[in-house]
Amino acid sequence: MTHTDAVEIWPGKAYPLGATYDGYGTNFSIFSEVAERVELCLFDADGTETRVVLPEVDAFVWHGMIPNVEPGQRYGYRIHGPYDPANGQRCNPNKLLLDPYAKAIDGQFHWDQSLFGYNFGDPDSRNDDDSAASMPKSVVINPFFDWGSDRSPEHEYADSVIYEAHVKGLTQTHPDVPAQLRGTYAGVAHPAIIDHLKSIGVTAVELMPVHHFANDSTLIDKGLSNYWGYNTIGFFAPDAKYSANPNPGGQVQEFKAMVRALHEADIEVILDVVYNHTAEGNHLGPTLSFRGIDNAAYYQIVDDDNRYYMDYTGTGNSFNVRHPHSLQLIMDSLRYWVTEMRVDGFRFDLASTLAREFYDVDRLATFFELVQQDPTVSQVKLIAEPWDVGPGGYQVGNFPPQWTEWNGKYRDTVRDFWRGEPSTLDEFASRLTGSADLYEHTGRRPVASINFVVAHDGFTLRDLVSYNEKHNEANGEDNNDGESHNRSWNCGAEGPTDDIAINELRGRQQRNLLATLLLSQGVPMICHGDELGRTQQGNNNVYCQDNELSWVDWANADEELIAFTRQVAALRTEHPVFRRRRFFNGRPVRQRASAGVPDISWFRPDGYEMGDDDWESGFGKSVAVFINGNGIPDRDPRGRRITDDSFLLCFNAHHEPIEYLVPPAVYAARWEPVLYTADSVQVDGAKAIDAGQPLVVDARSTLVLRAVPSPS
């Protein structure tokens, strides 16, 4: 280690925070209200550390400019200040700390005693072991990148199909992705992946966490890892674990190249972000960054005992959205990813936590007010996971009008309907038509509902129809982890079977769920691999399984299911009647072609319109819905009224075939089948059916009919 006087340092600027390279040198800036002195630590390639005291402090922001420090420079901080856990203060200059604004991070954590502020076995003690050798390092990046003619696709929500994916899990086994690119940002950008996404109608990839995250020591000790990545420690840094570029900071250039490639293919990039907590855990967690910089500013601590943390996330701590600098960090991070990394939106993990200014969830919390007025962040896609584990945390339908939400009620209802649960018909109808009961009262539209049947957390689509119980033994927690109430049905046997009838039913159920998802009003989200029959062998919590159990198995893809998914996706893309921007109202439309016919009508199988008693029937599991293509209240960008074909969707969740009577000619004179889940092959070109005629819909299947246009 050399001394401060060996390095020339100028006053620099307090803003922007972080390390900013301008072509001549690098400005370093970090916030700490409790610091008494801040040392910037520069590391050579061999690990030699040079400490430099930041010379200036303005409004609790410490800063300095060092000429000739270039991209690739590895660095960290040491904060001199009070160590008094009982009063919420945990500064210790023996702990090297990551820059909260680091744009790149190099290296991994080596979990030993030095990373912790106390001695193992004695949480009230103080540990002064130097942690530098066990810490990854922040990296100065090159901010310059040739974006060429890049632009965001800016797809309307109504026209969007979201694909939730894990960078490594999606690409790790794909045979057409070069081995050195598998599991990386470059792998996601490979034409083989992009071509597949385009073929199933995907308009946006929602990437599971790519912010730099810590791999938990408890999992490493078990031979496992934090595969999902919901353990953020760097809110500005794309994780280097997903980079094929080995150079410090190279992951930033690779991530930008991925975004550029996806944009060229007309696909947006949405990030799953975790601002509700960090990887430092509870009071027994390591000191890696925020805890050692300004613990009480960055975390919500217990008011009457400041040594402990409020935990609304189940991870040990909750980020302090009450503090202006914590809020600034979140907003600066969001703006950075939009302006510099050019992503198109965010899905906020456990978003209810961000609304907790004090104890209760506050729908108008400061964070949402900041987002509302921000000219950059307010213009991208904002998706909330509208719950956390704290009291009152389930907030589906209660987020501000600008937000969309993962609709957990959609997931639960659609699963229940297709597994044959009683008394689900009325709610199924509501979910199919955009969940007006949840969103219309706040002025939102059907697109507020992000519809999903399966997400990363839970069974895959194939497992949902193959298992009644979770099978998480591989996680090493005696099958106690993961959700126990999955609303799944194994169709007659638990797990893999040679029974032809059961396997055929499972295939049909997967098609039913995909068809329902893609033909519902709102925004559909497909979980990666569900379109090709991915299984996790009944494990519904693969957060720690970075292996073949969690990766998409491209070698055993169900080609028939992929073809069916493409067919349904094309039906949605080609017909705006499935992508309405406003809720149905049930009133007759005025257009001459459908004068007097409502924009939507519901029918019993016998052809009569559904009445109140029919909706309240506990045994009803079959319904038909007419969607009027002349009743779309939307207009195209030029202001022209949008019209489409009309459709009749027949849903039969009963265990026996049901005979339906086609509605009378006032709705349409003739109908032609365009989709049938009872068979995996297409039905386009099948014999047309006249109004008022009977037709049989097979057990547990969906039949979609299109009105045949009348001769002009």
Side-chain angles (χ1 to χ4, degrees):
M1 182 183 71
T2 58
H3 297 290
T4 301
D5 56 9
V7 176
E8 180 182 10
I9 184 166
W10 301 347
K13 298 179 180 180
Y15 190 84
L17 290 157
T20 306
Y21 174 70
D22 64 1
Y24 179 78
T26 301
N27 188 81
F28 294 90
S29 176
I30 184 172
F31 158 78
S32 177
E33 188 172 349
V34 298
E36 298 162 359
R37 182 162 59 105
V38 174
E39 289 181 308
L40 169 67
C41 307
L42 305 176
F43 291 87
D44 294 341
D46 62 2
T48 299
E49 177 183 356
T50 300
R51 300 185 186 179
V52 186
V53 175
L54 292 183
E56 299 289 332
V57 56
D58 294 303
F60 307 118
V61 175
W62 303 74
H63 55 92
M65 166 73 174
I66 303 180
N68 302 318
V69 167
E70 298 184 344
Q73 173 66 58
R74 298 156 71 241
Y75 72 99
Y77 287 104
R78 298 180 185 272
I79 305 295
H80 297 259
Y83 182 83
D84 184 5
N87 289 305
Q89 299 170 331
R90 295 178 179 268
C91 298
N92 185 339
N94 297 297
K95 309 303 175 186
L96 184 75
L97 305 174
L98 291 171
D99 181 358
Y101 279 73
K103 306 302 189 301
I105 295 172
D106 180 56
Q108 299 298 322
F109 298 98
H110 302 288
W111 295 103
D112 58 28
Q113 175 70 78
S114 69
L115 295 183
F116 295 80
Y118 63 93
N119 297 295
F120 293 159
D122 185 7
D124 293 326
S125 64
R126 170 173 168 149
N127 176 275
D128 285 331
D129 293 343
D130 194 297
S131 66
S134 299
M135 283 286 294
K137 309 300 187 291
S138 306
V139 179
V140 177
I141 69 158
N142 181 355
F144 308 110
F145 180 78
D146 182 7
W147 284 101
S149 58
D150 175 78
R151 59 174 294 277
S152 171
E154 294 185 346
H155 292 297
E156 295 288 340
Y157 271 118
D159 300 328
S160 297
V161 175
I162 298 174
Y163 191 84
E164 187 193 28
H166 187 283
V167 170
K168 184 173 184 179
L170 177 63
T171 62
Q172 185 65 22
T173 73
H174 200 295
D176 296 331
V177 175
Q180 69 273 19
L181 301 184
R182 294 174 188 167
T184 70
Y185 306 119
V188 175
H190 191 273
I193 298 296
I194 290 177
D195 289 347
H196 173 75
L197 296 175
K198 295 289 290 183
S199 78
I200 59 172
V202 169
T203 66
V205 173
E206 181 178 301
L207 296 177
M208 291 174 66
V210 298
H211 289 176
H212 194 95
F213 63 91
N215 207 341
D216 312 60
S217 60
T218 54
L219 293 175
I220 293 174
D221 292 342
K222 296 178 181 179
L224 303 170
S225 67
N226 192 318
Y227 168 65
W228 281 349
Y230 291 92
N231 205 30
T232 303
I233 197 62
F235 292 115
F236 293 77
D239 202 303
K241 292 188 285 292
Y242 301 140
S243 177
N245 189 326
N247 299 318
Q251 64 267 41
V252 177
Q253 301 291 311
E254 186 175 329
F255 184 93
K256 290 179 176 179
M258 176 195 71
V259 173
R260 183 179 61 192
L262 288 167
H263 282 180
E264 287 175 357
D266 204 33
I267 297 175
E268 295 176 318
V269 179
I270 299 171
L271 299 187
D272 190 340
V273 290
V274 187
Y275 293 109
N276 54 72
H277 74 280
T278 80
E280 291 185 301
N282 64 16
H283 64 289
L284 299 179
T287 299
L288 310 176
S289 180
F290 307 94
R291 173 174 282 141
I293 294 171
D294 196 326
N295 185 62
Y298 282 118
Y299 295 117
Q300 295 188 49
I301 55 180
V302 176
D303 289 337
D304 55 1
D305 194 342
N306 292 170
R307 79 182 65 219
Y308 299 113
Y309 298 85
M310 298 298 295
D311 182 13
Y312 299 115
T313 64
T315 60
N317 65 58
S318 300
F319 213 61
N320 185 10
V321 292
R322 299 184 235 174
H323 196 282
H325 277 278
S326 297
L327 279 171
Q328 180 187 1
L329 181 142
I330 294 174
M331 296 305 299
D332 284 349
S333 170
L334 293 170
R335 278 190 293 268
Y336 174 79
W337 285 98
V338 174
T339 59
E340 296 297 321
M341 308 299 267
R342 299 203 179 184
V343 304
D344 306 283
F346 304 96
R347 177 265 187 187
F348 292 81
D349 178 67
L350 300 179
S352 292
T353 300
L354 298 173
R356 291 183 184 273
E357 289 204 355
F358 295 97
Y359 183 74
D360 295 326
V361 174
D362 179 0
R363 183 171 170 274
L364 297 178
T366 303
F367 170 70
F368 298 110
E369 294 173 352
L370 288 174
V371 169
Q372 177 74 28
Q373 60 79 41
D374 189 278
T376 299
V377 180
S378 65
Q379 299 306 303
V380 301
K381 289 182 169 64
L382 302 171
I383 305 170
E385 182 185 32
W387 50 77
D388 64 18
V389 300
Y394 192 78
Q395 293 292 315
V396 173
N398 290 330
F399 273 69
Q402 192 175 22
W403 289 68
T404 63
E405 301 174 11
W406 269 25
N407 190 344
K409 293 186 178 181
Y410 179 96
R411 171 199 60 205
D412 297 345
T413 300
V414 171
R415 288 185 179 192
D416 279 347
F417 177 78
W418 282 114
R419 70 188 179 117
E421 285 294 290
S423 303
T424 58
L425 206 55
D426 57 343
E427 189 167 1
F428 177 76
S430 178
R431 303 297 157 244
L432 185 75
T433 54
S435 296
D437 59 322
L438 298 177
Y439 304 113
E440 192 171 23
H441 69 283
T442 58
R444 288 190 278 179
R445 296 182 176 180
V447 295
S449 178
I450 305 297
N451 299 329
F452 68 105
V453 177
V454 166
H456 69 274
D457 188 2
F459 281 143
T460 67
L461 185 66
R462 179 175 169 183
D463 289 355
L464 187 68
V465 301
S466 303
Y467 294 90
N468 285 348
E469 308 295 337
K470 64 184 180 181
H471 297 270
N472 298 356
E473 290 79 8
N475 296 353
E477 299 182 42
D478 296 323
N479 206 34
N480 291 318
D481 63 304
E483 177 59 57
S484 296
H485 183 46
N486 294 284
R487 292 181 162 89
S488 62
W489 178 45
N490 65 21
C491 296
E494 189 74 356
T497 179
D498 294 328
D499 189 301
I500 295 175
I502 290 176
N503 285 328
E504 192 283 329
L505 177 56
R506 288 175 177 175
R508 188 184 309 177
Q509 287 288 75
Q510 290 177 77
R511 294 191 291 273
N512 283 329
L513 292 163
L514 282 169
T516 303
L517 174 66
L518 286 165
L519 299 182
S520 293
Q521 304 298 324
V523 183
M525 185 185 79
I526 301 170
C527 186
H528 70 187
D530 279 347
E531 76 282 5
L532 46 84
R534 183 174 74 95
T535 179
Q536 293 172 173
Q537 300 173 25
N539 191 317
N540 72 354
N541 191 32
V542 294
Y543 77 102
C544 58
Q545 300 291 335
D546 186 4
N547 50 50
E548 291 83 357
L549 187 65
S550 61
W551 302 336
V552 174
D553 183 4
W554 292 94
N556 293 300
D558 184 337
E559 295 296 337
E560 288 187 347
L561 188 59
I562 294 174
F564 178 82
T565 305
R566 289 170 178 161
Q567 182 188 6
V568 187
L571 192 62
R572 178 185 181 86
T573 300
E574 294 165 5
H575 293 283
V577 74
F578 298 116
R579 299 179 279 108
R580 290 169 53 105
R581 289 161 170 78
R582 291 174 174 81
F583 290 108
F584 293 100
N585 58 41
R587 294 191 293 269
V589 301
R590 298 178 180 178
Q591 282 69 35
R592 184 173 58 183
S594 295
V597 178
D599 59 357
I600 188 170
S601 296
W602 299 89
F603 296 93
R604 301 184 327 203
D606 62 8
Y608 287 93
E609 290 199 43
M610 293 282 288
D612 291 343
D613 291 342
D614 300 311
W615 289 118
E616 295 170 3
S617 168
F619 59 82
K621 298 177 183 177
S622 303
V623 69
V625 55
F626 165 80
I627 303 177
N628 193 337
N630 288 303
I632 303 173
D634 306 323
R635 295 184 179 275
D636 67 17
R638 294 186 177 182
R640 296 172 299 192
R641 186 174 157 273
I642 296 174
T643 61
D644 192 11
D645 297 325
S646 295
F647 287 84
L648 184 70
L649 286 67
C650 302
F651 297 98
N652 180 21
H654 191 50
H655 64 274
E656 294 180 341
I658 293 287
E659 183 177 270
Y660 284 74
L661 200 65
V662 177
V666 66
Y667 293 94
R670 303 191 77 201
W671 298 89
E672 58 182 3
V674 293
L675 186 78
Y676 194 24
T677 64
D679 200 332
S680 61
V681 299
Q682 298 184 15
V683 296
D684 280 319
K687 183 178 179 180
I689 302 166
D690 291 333
Q693 296 299 304
L695 62 86
V696 175
V697 178
D698 208 346
R700 296 190 174 97
S701 61
T702 304
L703 174 63
V704 179
L705 303 139
R706 178 173 53 209
V708 178
S710 301
S712 55

